[in-house]
Amino acid sequence: MLNQILMVMLYLGVFVFAQRQVKKWIKIQAIKKQVNEVRSRLITRLISYLMFFITLSIIAIHLGLGYQDVSLFVSSAFAVLGVALFAQWSILSNITAGVLIFFVFPYRIGDRIKIVDKDEDMSGVIVEISLFHILIKRDSGDVMTYPNSLLLQKGVIKLPNNQPTEKKAITKRVIPKRG
């Protein structure tokens, strides 16, 4: 009995350590990609829930529930979740795309992009990247909401910034000529 309690404590300790390391890594990625803090916390929370679910499954197997019992529970939980979210498939795909965009999307807030679409001009400056959608401010001043799942399906072109930049005045020191 004491051996099982020690193993459970070890699994929980590994979970806490891994959770802290993942949290630090996500924070570094968020700073590097200039991601909103709320979005990085949401990604951290989603990954922590997944890690906790895996840790609980490992603990249940270790305590003797059996691999078949645990796998039956896990597959049943995913089946119920899948059926519940089937009607909201677009929400689930946007969340998945949002997580992918967090880690692999090469563009940041403030970049000018153009989404390749033959029907409409979808170009502007990225204002916000959230878990469900991306906000793009067009040149006309309109703000466009574009779903993350569609963003991964279309080509995206990075455009040069046309925004006026502040130029610092360069002052020259004039040295009079002698002689």
Side-chain angles (χ1 to χ4, degrees):
M1 181 68 176
L2 181 63
N3 190 20
Q4 289 180 336
I5 292 173
L6 289 175
M7 287 303 290
V8 168
M9 297 294 281
L10 177 69
Y11 287 138
L12 290 176
V14 168
F15 165 72
V16 169
F17 176 76
Q19 182 183 21
R20 286 183 182 164
Q21 294 302 314
V22 167
K23 186 176 181 179
K24 285 180 187 176
W25 182 71
I26 290 174
K27 190 173 186 178
I28 290 170
Q29 292 297 319
I31 291 170
K32 185 166 65 171
K33 296 185 177 206
Q34 299 173 348
V35 174
N36 189 344
E37 185 179 337
V38 174
R39 185 167 166 240
S40 66
R41 280 191 307 223
L42 187 59
I43 297 291
T44 303
R45 191 176 314 139
L46 285 172
I47 292 175
S48 292
Y49 288 155
L50 179 65
M51 288 173 47
F52 185 69
F53 187 72
I54 291 170
T55 303
L56 281 182
S57 299
I58 292 171
I59 289 172
I61 290 171
H62 181 76
L63 291 177
L65 288 178
Y67 178 75
Q68 289 180 338
D69 297 333
V70 173
S71 64
L72 178 66
F73 172 73
V74 169
S75 63
S76 298
F78 278 122
V80 169
L81 186 64
V83 169
L85 292 176
F86 182 73
Q88 300 298 328
W89 184 254
S90 63
I91 292 175
L92 186 61
S93 64
N94 280 325
I95 290 173
T96 305
V99 171
L100 286 173
I101 286 172
F102 180 83
F103 290 110
V104 297
F105 195 60
Y107 310 113
R108 300 178 178 162
I109 293 174
D111 286 349
R112 276 185 58 77
I113 62 167
K114 178 179 182 174
I115 300 169
V116 179
D117 191 2
K118 64 180 180 179
D119 295 333
E120 190 171 340
D121 179 32
M122 305 242 189
S123 61
V125 178
I126 298 175
V127 178
E128 182 181 338
I129 303 172
S130 71
L131 195 58
F132 294 103
H133 58 271
I134 183 170
L135 295 177
I136 301 171
K137 186 173 184 177
R138 294 181 176 181
D139 295 332
S140 63
D142 299 337
V143 176
M144 175 178 57
T145 303
Y146 202 76
N148 287 339
S149 59
L150 291 179
L151 187 69
L152 289 180
Q153 295 174 13
K154 304 252 180 164
V156 179
I157 301 169
K158 184 174 182 180
L159 301 173
N161 279 342
N162 291 342
Q163 304 296 338
T165 57
E166 294 181 22
K167 295 182 180 178
K168 295 183 180 179
I170 300 174
T171 57
K172 292 183 179 181
R173 184 175 165 198
V174 179
I175 302 173
K177 293 183 180 180
R178 294 187 189 194

